[in-house]
Amino acid sequence: MTKTKALMSMTALMAGTALLLGSGVAEAKTVTVATILNANDVSTQAMEKWGELLSAKTDGRLELNVMPGGTLGGTRELIQQLSSGEIDVNLSSPVVLQYAAPQYQCLEAEYVYRDEDHGFAVWRGSVGQEASQAMKASYNIEIAGVGRRGSRNVTANKRIEVPSDLAGLKFRVTNDLRAQVFAKYGAQPAPLPLSELYGALRQGVFDAEENPLSTIYSSRFHEVQDYISLTNHVWTYNLTFVNSDFYAGLGEDREAFDATLQEAMDWLYGAVEEENASIRKAIEESGEAEFVQPDIAAFREAARPILDEYAAKNCKPGILDEVEAVRADAK
């Protein structure tokens, strides 16, 4: 090849590279999504699905990098990283509000909602928007999406049908309000890391615990507990938190970001339903644990005075009245 032809070829290559850069191919942005949930959790799978939808919708301008299993830290660490902009998105439960907007922590309390749909209406309505704005003002983070997670239920080695059935049981809990509620039921609540709970239940160090059905199954608590009481004492949700600066900087891609996230949350709604049905069937067929339908009204009635007192001391004034006033007409 002559020097002239070589120069022409190099010029063409440089021109092609410039064209690619100008087309936006090299401007693709990687969006880091972190969560403490495991990779096989259906909620994490929803994030992966979102990534596929978002990449297609933006022609590759936005690509999600999902970091599951607490790879980057626990709940509090991830919120700090989200606030500082070290990560862009965090998938978590409303437990985040204990740190980022404690005046709204009662939005994940025992029997604060009439049912799951009521909770959806609260989180997707003005109360949820207020909580989001409070976090934005204090921590530079906000809520971009609300998805299904399910309810928390009680497991034990005896049938739990009414609150008094918990009397005297050493009971594992995860926060102070929950400890107060289950103490009211007559249990002896105490904290314990989730990683140690299976062994503690098997050895009889703890008699009972509470968790979503997916956690009960994945942690194999049904192997060391005879009964699963469907108390539905907490309806919890998957919240997609975003860094506010990142969110505002999406520009024209903000619409695609929001639309594809909602598509993923819609997919998750059905996926949780299917997963819970599959888990219940598997447990029933194994014969390792029996499902119990308790007197939910009795549990609710006993918990309410504790919730009222806790909210008066720790939450936004009047928040329980605001929640009660919300119509449960949205999913």
Side-chain angles (χ1 to χ4, degrees):
M1 179 182 292
T2 66
K3 290 184 178 180
T4 300
K5 288 183 177 180
L7 181 60
M8 289 175 64
S9 296
M10 181 62 70
T11 301
L13 177 60
M14 292 175 66
T17 301
L19 182 61
L20 286 174
L21 291 171
S23 69
V25 171
E27 296 177 359
K29 175 176 176 56
T30 298
V31 179
T32 301
V33 181
T35 180
I36 65 170
L37 299 174
N38 293 326
N40 61 353
D41 190 291
V42 68
S43 304
T44 305
Q45 293 169 17
M47 293 294 96
E48 297 287 0
K49 187 170 188 66
W50 177 29
E52 296 171 5
L53 294 168
L54 183 59
S55 178
K57 189 79 169 180
T58 62
D59 295 323
R61 290 189 301 277
L62 294 178
E63 300 281 350
L64 294 193
N65 178 28
V66 181
M67 306 289 289
T71 305
L72 300 181
T75 298
R76 182 172 290 188
E77 289 79 13
L78 292 182
I79 287 302
Q80 292 171 342
Q81 292 171 37
L82 185 64
S83 178
S84 65
E86 296 173 68
I87 61 174
D88 305 303
V89 180
N90 169 235
L91 178 71
S92 187
S93 73
V95 71
V96 166
L97 273 68
Q98 293 183 42
Y99 316 122
Q103 66 271 38
Y104 290 94
Q105 63 182 291
C106 291
L107 296 182
E108 193 181 49
E110 279 65 18
Y111 298 109
V112 69
Y113 305 123
R114 293 184 289 275
D115 52 32
E116 185 179 34
D117 286 351
H118 181 209
F120 267 117
V122 169
W123 279 109
R124 291 177 173 172
S126 61
V127 177
Q129 291 166 10
E130 288 175 13
S132 181
Q133 286 300 311
M135 288 186 288
K136 182 176 181 179
S138 299
Y139 279 82
N140 196 40
I141 64 178
E142 55 194 286
I143 300 170
V146 179
R148 195 178 203 180
R149 184 65 179 167
S151 65
R152 300 180 75 93
N153 300 284
V154 169
T155 72
N157 282 325
K158 60 178 290 190
R159 296 178 66 89
I160 306 299
E161 298 178 311
V162 294
S164 60
D165 291 334
L166 286 162
L169 298 187
K170 187 70 177 295
F171 195 93
R172 185 260 188 178
V173 294
T174 54
N175 60 49
D176 181 58
L177 175 57
R178 197 148 299 149
Q180 293 183 38
V181 169
F182 278 90
K184 175 70 173 180
Y185 294 157
Q188 298 176 10
L192 187 75
L194 184 65
S195 59
E196 300 176 22
L197 186 52
Y198 178 89
L201 292 170
R202 184 181 60 185
Q203 296 166 15
V205 177
F206 276 74
D207 303 306
E209 62 86 42
E210 55 81 45
N211 260 301
L213 190 57
S214 58
T215 303
I216 291 169
Y217 186 67
S218 63
S219 299
R220 300 185 295 124
F221 297 150
H222 62 288
E223 296 178 358
V224 290
Q225 299 268 265
D226 295 333
Y227 298 96
I228 301 172
S229 184
L230 301 176
T231 50
N232 295 339
H233 53 276
V234 173
W235 286 105
T236 190
Y237 301 85
N238 276 301
L239 301 184
T240 306
F241 298 97
V242 295
N243 175 276
S244 296
D245 291 337
F246 157 77
Y247 203 29
L250 285 173
E252 294 181 356
D253 284 329
R254 170 77 170 262
E255 183 178 352
F257 184 93
D258 290 339
T260 52
L261 174 57
Q262 184 57 54
E263 283 187 68
M265 293 298 97
D266 290 343
W267 175 86
L268 178 61
Y269 190 91
V272 169
E273 185 82 22
E274 293 176 6
E275 181 184 54
N276 283 342
S278 176
I279 288 173
R280 178 160 183 170
K281 181 180 179 181
I283 292 176
E284 288 176 334
E285 289 181 348
S286 73
E288 292 174 314
E290 178 183 338
F291 285 88
V292 176
Q293 187 59 55
D295 183 353
I296 290 179
F299 281 91
R300 182 187 297 275
E301 182 179 358
R304 188 63 192 206
I306 303 299
L307 177 55
D308 288 340
E309 182 179 354
Y310 189 90
K313 295 178 180 178
N314 300 282
C315 297
K316 174 190 170 187
I319 190 170
L320 296 185
D321 292 333
E322 291 181 37
V323 168
E324 285 291 336
V326 174
R327 290 179 55 208
D329 57 2
K331 291 186 179 180

Coordinates of all heavy atoms in Angstrom, one line a residue, residues 33-35 37 41-53 64-67 89-92 238-240 261 264-265 267-268:
V33 N -27.3 0.2 39.8 CA -28.4 -0.2 40.7 C -27.9 -1.1 41.7 O -27.4 -2.2 41.4 CB -29.6 -0.8 39.9 CG1 -30.7 -1.1 40.8 CG2 -30.0 0.1 38.7
A34 N -28.0 -0.8 43.0 CA -27.5 -1.6 44.1 C -28.7 -2.1 45.0 O -29.6 -1.3 45.2 CB -26.5 -0.9 44.9
T35 N -28.6 -3.3 45.5 CA -29.7 -3.8 46.4 C -29.0 -4.9 47.3 O -28.1 -5.5 47.0 CB -30.8 -4.4 45.6 OG1 -31.8 -4.9 46.5 CG2 -30.4 -5.5 44.7
L37 N -30.9 -7.4 48.2 CA -31.6 -8.6 47.8 C -30.7 -9.5 46.9 O -29.9 -9.0 46.1 CB -32.9 -8.2 47.1 CG -33.9 -7.4 47.9 CD1 -35.0 -7.0 47.0 CD2 -34.3 -8.2 49.1
D41 N -33.6 -13.3 43.7 CA -34.9 -12.7 44.3 C -35.7 -12.1 43.1 O -35.1 -11.5 42.2 CB -34.5 -11.6 45.3 CG -35.8 -11.1 46.1 OD1 -36.6 -10.5 45.4 OD2 -35.8 -11.4 47.3
V42 N -37.0 -12.3 43.1 CA -37.8 -11.9 42.0 C -37.8 -10.4 41.9 O -37.9 -9.8 40.8 CB -39.3 -12.4 42.2 CG1 -39.9 -11.7 43.4 CG2 -40.1 -12.2 41.0
S43 N -37.5 -9.6 43.0 CA -37.4 -8.2 42.9 C -36.2 -7.8 42.2 O -36.2 -6.8 41.4 CB -37.4 -7.6 44.3 OG -38.6 -8.0 45.0
T44 N -35.1 -8.5 42.4 CA -33.8 -8.2 41.6 C -34.0 -8.6 40.2 O -33.5 -7.9 39.3 CB -32.7 -9.0 42.2 OG1 -32.5 -8.7 43.6 CG2 -31.4 -8.7 41.5
Q45 N -34.7 -9.6 39.9 CA -35.0 -10.0 38.5 C -35.8 -8.9 37.8 O -35.7 -8.7 36.6 CB -35.8 -11.3 38.5 CG -35.0 -12.5 39.0 CD -35.8 -13.8 39.2 OE1 -36.9 -13.9 38.7 NE2 -35.2 -14.7 39.9
A46 N -36.7 -8.2 38.6 CA -37.4 -7.1 38.0 C -36.5 -6.0 37.6 O -36.7 -5.3 36.6 CB -38.4 -6.6 39.0
M47 N -35.4 -5.8 38.3 CA -34.4 -4.8 38.0 C -33.7 -5.2 36.7 O -33.4 -4.3 35.8 CB -33.4 -4.6 39.1 CG -33.9 -4.0 40.4 SD -34.5 -2.2 40.2 CE -36.3 -2.5 39.9
E48 N -33.4 -6.4 36.6 CA -32.7 -6.9 35.3 C -33.6 -6.7 34.1 O -33.2 -6.3 33.0 CB -32.4 -8.4 35.5 CG -31.3 -8.7 36.6 CD -29.9 -8.3 36.2 OE1 -29.7 -7.7 35.1 OE2 -29.0 -8.5 37.1
K49 N -34.9 -7.0 34.3 CA -35.9 -6.8 33.3 C -36.0 -5.3 32.9 O -36.1 -5.0 31.7 CB -37.2 -7.3 33.7 CG -38.3 -7.3 32.6 CD -39.5 -8.1 32.9 CE -40.5 -8.2 31.8 NZ -39.9 -9.1 30.7
W50 N -36.0 -4.5 33.9 CA -36.0 -3.0 33.7 C -34.8 -2.6 32.8 O -34.9 -1.8 31.9 CB -36.0 -2.3 35.0 CG -35.9 -0.8 34.9 CD1 -36.4 0.0 33.9 CD2 -35.3 0.1 35.9 NE1 -36.2 1.3 34.2 CE2 -35.5 1.4 35.4 CE3 -34.7 -0.1 37.1 CZ2 -35.1 2.5 36.1 CZ3 -34.3 1.0 37.8 CH2 -34.5 2.3 37.3
G51 N -33.6 -3.2 33.1 CA -32.4 -2.9 32.3 C -32.6 -3.2 30.9 O -32.2 -2.4 30.0
E52 N -33.2 -4.3 30.6 CA -33.4 -4.7 29.2 C -34.4 -3.7 28.5 O -34.2 -3.3 27.4 CB -34.0 -6.1 29.1 CG -33.1 -7.2 29.6 CD -33.8 -8.5 29.8 OE1 -35.0 -8.6 29.3 OE2 -33.2 -9.5 30.3
L53 N -35.5 -3.4 29.2 CA -36.5 -2.4 28.6 C -35.9 -1.0 28.4 O -36.1 -0.4 27.4 CB -37.7 -2.4 29.6 CG -38.5 -3.6 29.8 CD1 -39.5 -3.5 30.9 CD2 -39.3 -3.9 28.5
L64 N -28.2 -0.5 32.5 CA -28.2 -0.7 34.0 C -27.1 -1.8 34.3 O -26.9 -2.7 33.6 CB -29.6 -1.3 34.5 CG -30.8 -0.4 34.4 CD1 -31.9 -1.0 35.2 CD2 -30.5 1.0 34.9
N65 N -26.5 -1.5 35.5 CA -25.5 -2.5 36.1 C -26.1 -2.8 37.4 O -25.9 -2.0 38.4 CB -24.1 -1.8 36.1 CG -23.1 -2.8 36.8 OD1 -23.3 -4.0 36.7 ND2 -22.1 -2.2 37.5
V66 N -26.7 -3.9 37.6 CA -27.4 -4.3 38.8 C -26.4 -5.0 39.7 O -25.8 -6.1 39.3 CB -28.6 -5.2 38.5 CG1 -29.3 -5.6 39.8 CG2 -29.6 -4.5 37.6
M67 N -26.2 -4.5 40.9 CA -25.3 -5.1 41.9 C -26.1 -5.6 43.1 O -26.5 -4.9 44.0 CB -24.3 -4.0 42.4 CG -23.6 -3.3 41.3 SD -22.3 -4.3 40.5 CE -21.1 -4.4 41.8
V89 N -29.0 4.3 41.7 CA -30.3 3.7 42.1 C -30.2 2.7 43.2 O -29.2 1.9 43.2 CB -31.0 3.0 40.9 CG1 -32.4 2.5 41.2 CG2 -31.2 4.1 39.7
N90 N -31.1 2.6 44.1 CA -31.2 1.6 45.2 C -32.5 1.0 45.2 O -33.5 1.7 45.3 CB -30.8 2.2 46.5 CG -31.0 1.2 47.7 OD1 -31.7 1.6 48.6 ND2 -30.5 0.0 47.6
L91 N -32.6 -0.3 45.2 CA -33.9 -1.0 45.4 C -34.0 -1.5 46.8 O -33.1 -2.3 47.3 CB -34.0 -2.2 44.4 CG -35.3 -3.0 44.6 CD1 -36.5 -2.2 44.1 CD2 -35.2 -4.4 43.8
S92 N -35.0 -1.0 47.6 CA -35.1 -1.4 49.0 C -36.5 -1.4 49.4 O -37.4 -1.1 48.6 CB -34.2 -0.5 49.8 OG -34.1 -0.9 51.2
N238 N -41.6 -2.7 47.4 CA -40.3 -2.5 46.8 C -40.3 -1.0 46.3 O -41.1 -0.6 45.5 CB -40.1 -3.4 45.6 CG -39.5 -4.7 46.0 OD1 -38.5 -4.8 46.6 ND2 -40.2 -5.8 45.6
L239 N -39.4 -0.2 46.9 CA -39.2 1.2 46.5 C -37.9 1.3 45.7 O -36.9 0.9 46.1 CB -39.2 2.1 47.7 CG -40.4 2.0 48.6 CD1 -40.3 3.0 49.8 CD2 -41.7 2.2 47.9
T240 N -38.0 2.0 44.6 CA -36.9 2.3 43.8 C -36.4 3.7 44.1 O -37.1 4.7 43.7 CB -37.2 2.2 42.3 OG1 -37.7 0.9 42.0 CG2 -35.9 2.3 41.4
L261 N -39.4 1.7 34.0 CA -39.4 1.3 35.4 C -40.8 0.8 35.8 O -41.0 -0.2 36.5 CB -39.0 2.4 36.3 CG -39.1 2.2 37.8 CD1 -38.3 0.9 38.3 CD2 -38.6 3.4 38.6
A264 N -41.5 -2.6 34.5 CA -40.8 -3.6 35.3 C -41.6 -3.8 36.6 O -41.7 -5.0 37.1 CB -39.4 -3.2 35.6
M265 N -42.2 -2.8 37.2 CA -42.9 -2.9 38.4 C -44.3 -3.6 38.1 O -44.8 -4.4 39.0 CB -43.2 -1.5 39.0 CG -42.0 -0.8 39.6 SD -41.1 -1.7 40.9 CE -39.8 -2.5 40.0
W267 N -44.6 -5.9 35.8 CA -44.2 -7.3 35.7 C -44.0 -7.9 37.1 O -44.4 -9.1 37.3 CB -42.9 -7.4 34.9 CG -42.3 -8.8 34.8 CD1 -42.6 -9.8 33.9 CD2 -41.4 -9.4 35.7 NE1 -41.9 -10.9 34.2 CE2 -41.1 -10.7 35.3 CE3 -40.7 -8.9 36.8 CZ2 -40.3 -11.6 35.9 CZ3 -39.8 -9.8 37.5 CH2 -39.6 -11.1 37.1
L268 N -43.4 -7.2 38.0 CA -43.1 -7.7 39.3 C -44.4 -8.0 40.1 O -44.4 -9.0 40.8 CB -42.3 -6.6 40.1 CG -42.0 -7.0 41.6 CD1 -41.1 -8.2 41.6 CD2 -41.2 -5.8 42.2

